[in-house]
Amino acid sequence: MERISATTLLPDTFYGTRDDITEQFAIIWGQIKAPLIVPLLRIAVLLCLTMSVMLFIERVYMFIVISLVKLFGRKPEKRYKWEPLKDDVELGNSSYPMVLVQIPMYNEKEVYQLSIGAACGLSWPSDRIIVQVLDDSTDPITKNLVEIECQRWASKGINIKYEVRNNRSGYKAGALKEGLKHSYVKQCDFVAIFDADFQPEPDFLWRTIPFLVHNPELSLVQARWKYVNADECLMTRMQEMSLDYHFTVEQEVGSATHAFFGFNGTAGVWRIAAIDEAGGWKDRTTVEDMDLAVRASLKGWKFLYLSSLMVKNELPSTFKAYRYQQHRWSCGPANLFRKMFMEIVRNKKVSLWKKVHVIYSFFFVRKVIAHIVTFVFYVVVLPATVLVPEVEVPKWGAVYIPAIITLLNAVGTPRSLHLLVFWILFENVMSLHRTKATFIGLLEAGRVNEWIVTEKLGDALKLKSAAKAFRKHRMRLGDRIHLLELAAGAYLFFCGCYDIAFGNNHYFLYLFIQAFAFFIVGFGYVGTFVPNS
């Protein structure tokens, strides 16, 4: 049998039609590119470069401040009065302030024993401390286990209160607010707050309370987080790098310069009088901790960050849990910025310089610009210039500034410098969700008030086996596929191919590597890689 040629199967009219469609598409693209696409892309590049410069200046400023703080040794003990609390023979234990320890929890079956045990193990005069477990659990088995654990500690002589509500109104903010309404809280001067996976060391109160006692202008003492599962997988190492910068630089700089920073919602001690004066806990956003901090600061209260005091906790070890957490952490601040902008502007108790710091640096640059520019510039606009060679991005904007910002961000975690490239790629992927969440918060749309409790796995010694079991449970294809990441990866891959075939920007290597990162996350493999230390 004679070989059947392609022209036999597909007539010439097909190829003619195909060529006509391609030619028509090229003509249409050429007609709209010059008058519409090129000007819009140039405007986008200009806006992105402006945002990059703003972020660059902010990062350099914080680097200079943190360097001066470290160089001149401005330790908290030198900036504020601090001396250990001493026994009073006449007054006895009544000379010590009364401390309330709050542990809000919701279906925390894996970690409730760790957090309650750590809180009950805090070293402080036993008649001057109250441990309050605020249990919003909806699972009756978990609720029963938590209550039994509280009863067990009560039988050992610990003053522990197990409190439940009829509903979850206000989520964590509602629980904390309700907890402060109990009659026995009126005798308390300070409240220490720990999320359900946090495990403070026994000396936590001895190291924090003296600052509040000897410095009446202080309302909050915040400790640093220490992660028990940072080495579990590559994703947790990436989280550690991002959070370490926040704690080693952002919190330290805010504390040293303006005595203001965002309360992290846990591992901190508040003066109850400051909470009351600021208006108490509010549930109008998903960042009730930041909301309270800003309002207290506008009342003139000061905050202190203790980088030397670390509290163990757990990082989200699944991408699903981490994505929900990042949505809340990105959407909430943007929404709070929208709600409090005019309140900050009109405030008369703080200086103009502090207002500028809160509005511009704290909110606009760090909580809005940082998320938007990462995604829009490096994932959308920069690849688009490959398709539109008439628009060029200067080398200082495409290479030098991003490189310096990245290096400044990485100083917080020296042990992970060899993972810097992976961190950049992962942060760019996560910027997709953070940008989406930021716009939701600014526009107060859709999932603006979505609150999903971050899943926890429990005891650090059992993390690896528990994580593996959890991943096996979620291996179904439908649970692993993330369409937004796959779409972004396909766009980057197309731009990379176009750059090789027709472009002259030479971004194809970056585009392919970044596309691969989006595909890895899109197909649900991000939490499966374990890095070398």
Side-chain angles (χ1 to χ4, degrees):
M1 174 183 267
E2 294 183 1
R3 182 176 299 176
I4 301 176
S5 66
T7 54
T8 305
L9 295 175
L10 299 174
D12 292 338
T13 53
F14 174 84
Y15 290 98
T17 303
R18 185 188 64 181
D19 292 339
D20 289 342
I21 294 174
T22 304
E23 185 177 348
Q24 289 175 5
F25 178 80
I27 293 173
I28 295 173
W29 172 249
Q31 288 177 340
I32 66 172
K33 185 170 71 170
L36 181 63
I37 303 299
V38 172
L40 288 177
L41 190 56
R42 281 178 177 156
I43 293 173
V45 168
L46 179 61
L47 290 175
C48 288
L49 289 176
T50 302
M51 290 189 289
S52 293
V53 171
M54 293 167 65
L55 185 60
F56 171 75
I57 293 173
E58 179 71 11
R59 291 291 189 261
V60 171
Y61 158 74
M62 288 194 289
F63 176 75
I64 292 173
V65 172
I66 197 67
S67 299
L68 293 175
V69 169
K70 300 298 182 183
L71 181 63
F72 292 102
R74 292 197 65 196
K75 295 183 179 179
E77 293 80 1
K78 294 184 178 181
R79 290 187 285 121
Y80 294 95
K81 183 180 179 182
W82 190 93
E83 59 183 42
L85 301 179
K86 299 178 182 179
D87 294 332
D88 189 304
V89 178
E90 295 182 357
L91 297 176
N93 285 346
S94 60
S95 63
Y96 293 94
M98 196 74 179
V99 179
L100 175 71
V101 179
Q102 288 186 317
I103 310 174
M105 56 176 58
Y106 171 73
N107 294 336
E108 309 286 0
K109 187 175 182 179
E110 294 79 8
V111 294
Y112 74 94
Q113 286 182 311
L114 293 174
S115 58
I116 294 175
C120 293
L122 288 169
S123 175
W124 198 254
S126 59
D127 60 338
R128 307 299 293 171
I129 184 172
I130 302 173
V131 177
Q132 186 186 65
V133 178
L134 304 170
D135 190 11
D136 274 358
S137 298
T138 54
D139 175 26
I141 296 177
T142 301
K143 182 174 288 190
N144 185 54
L145 290 173
V146 174
E147 186 175 10
I148 291 174
E149 183 70 8
C150 292
Q151 293 173 352
R152 188 173 73 85
W153 283 103
S155 66
K156 295 182 179 182
I158 301 297
N159 188 359
I160 185 169
K161 307 290 185 181
Y162 176 72
E163 306 290 357
V164 295
R165 301 188 293 164
N166 295 327
N167 57 71
R168 289 190 67 214
S169 175
Y171 301 107
K172 181 181 175 181
L176 293 172
K177 184 177 182 179
E178 194 71 24
L180 292 178
K181 291 181 179 179
H182 294 282
S183 57
Y184 56 82
V185 176
K186 294 180 180 179
Q187 59 184 312
C188 297
D189 304 292
F190 308 109
V191 54
I193 302 171
F194 301 102
D195 282 351
D197 59 315
F198 278 71
Q199 305 162 54
E201 296 296 330
D203 65 346
F204 180 88
L205 296 178
W206 292 112
R207 297 177 64 180
T208 55
I209 296 297
F211 281 108
L212 294 164
V213 170
H214 298 308
N215 302 276
E217 73 275 18
L218 284 178
S219 65
L220 166 68
V221 178
Q222 172 74 59
R224 181 177 171 178
W225 297 1
K226 180 181 180 181
Y227 321 107
V228 298
N229 64 329
D231 293 323
E232 182 190 344
C233 64
L234 188 59
M235 187 182 71
T236 53
R237 286 289 286 271
M238 302 300 98
Q239 293 178 61
E240 181 191 38
M241 293 180 71
S242 299
L243 287 170
D244 274 352
Y245 178 81
H246 169 70
F247 282 106
T248 59
V249 179
E250 290 182 345
Q251 298 293 76
E252 190 76 80
V253 168
S255 178
T257 55
H258 301 280
F260 167 76
F261 49 83
F263 174 45
N264 296 118
T266 178
V269 185
W270 275 91
R271 189 186 300 273
I272 293 180
I275 296 178
D276 294 337
E277 186 180 346
W281 293 100
K282 294 185 178 181
D283 59 358
R284 54 182 175 174
T285 70
T286 56
V287 284
E288 72 296 321
D289 42 16
M290 186 181 296
D291 189 345
L292 176 61
V294 175
R295 285 185 282 112
S297 178
L298 295 179
K299 293 292 183 180
W301 290 99
K302 295 182 178 181
F303 305 160
L304 174 63
Y305 171 68
L306 293 180
S307 60
S308 60
L309 180 59
M310 300 187 182
V311 180
K312 293 187 293 185
N313 71 295
E314 181 182 324
L315 292 167
S317 54
T318 65
F319 181 67
K320 180 180 179 181
Y322 183 57
R323 188 175 59 177
Y324 282 132
Q325 182 199 68
Q326 291 303 296
H327 173 85
R328 190 171 76 246
W329 286 5
S330 301
C331 179
N335 190 231
L336 182 64
F337 180 45
R338 169 194 171 110
K339 293 178 182 297
M340 292 202 69
F341 178 80
M342 291 308 301
E343 184 178 344
I344 298 170
V345 171
R346 296 189 184 116
N347 185 272
K348 297 180 180 180
K349 285 192 175 183
V350 298
S351 66
L352 176 63
W353 176 239
K354 191 167 186 177
K355 290 181 184 179
V356 171
H357 169 72
V358 175
I359 292 175
Y360 176 78
S361 295
F362 181 76
F363 273 118
F364 189 59
V365 176
R366 299 183 203 172
K367 310 301 181 185
V368 178
I369 293 297
H371 300 325
I372 293 175
V373 72
T374 302
F375 176 71
V376 174
F377 191 25
Y378 305 120
V379 181
V380 179
V381 173
L382 195 62
T385 60
V386 171
L387 307 177
V388 186
E390 294 89 343
V391 179
E392 295 184 0
V393 179
K395 186 173 289 186
W396 60 265
V399 179
Y400 299 143
I401 282 184
I404 295 173
I405 291 175
T406 300
L407 290 175
L408 292 177
N409 283 345
V411 298
T413 316
R415 80 183 189 102
S416 297
L417 283 176
H418 63 292
L419 299 174
L420 191 58
V421 172
F422 296 101
W423 180 74
I424 295 170
L425 297 174
F426 183 65
E427 284 294 290
N428 286 351
V429 174
M430 288 308 303
S431 70
L432 166 63
H433 296 285
R434 292 175 183 144
T435 300
K436 182 177 71 170
T438 298
F439 279 114
I440 288 174
L442 289 173
L443 301 175
E444 210 161 32
R447 298 164 53 198
V448 66
N449 291 317
E450 179 184 74
W451 181 285
I452 297 178
V453 176
T454 305
E455 297 169 319
K456 306 170 188 75
L457 295 178
D459 196 329
L461 297 176
K462 302 175 182 177
L463 276 173
K464 289 186 178 180
S465 59
K468 290 178 181 177
F470 190 86
R471 289 192 193 101
K472 287 180 181 178
H473 177 70
R474 69 181 189 97
M475 287 294 284
R476 290 177 301 175
L477 186 63
D479 294 336
R480 292 177 53 158
I481 295 296
H482 305 292
L483 296 179
L484 285 178
E485 285 85 350
L486 292 177
Y491 166 70
L492 290 164
F493 184 78
F494 171 77
C495 291
C497 293
Y498 189 93
D499 195 23
I500 290 179
F502 308 106
N504 56 3
N505 290 329
H506 308 298
Y507 294 146
F508 63 89
L509 185 59
Y510 160 75
L511 295 171
F512 284 144
I513 294 175
Q514 187 64 70
F516 180 71
F518 270 97
F519 288 141
I520 287 292
V521 176
F523 284 114
Y525 289 105
V526 67
T528 62
F529 299 103
V530 180
N532 293 323
S533 298

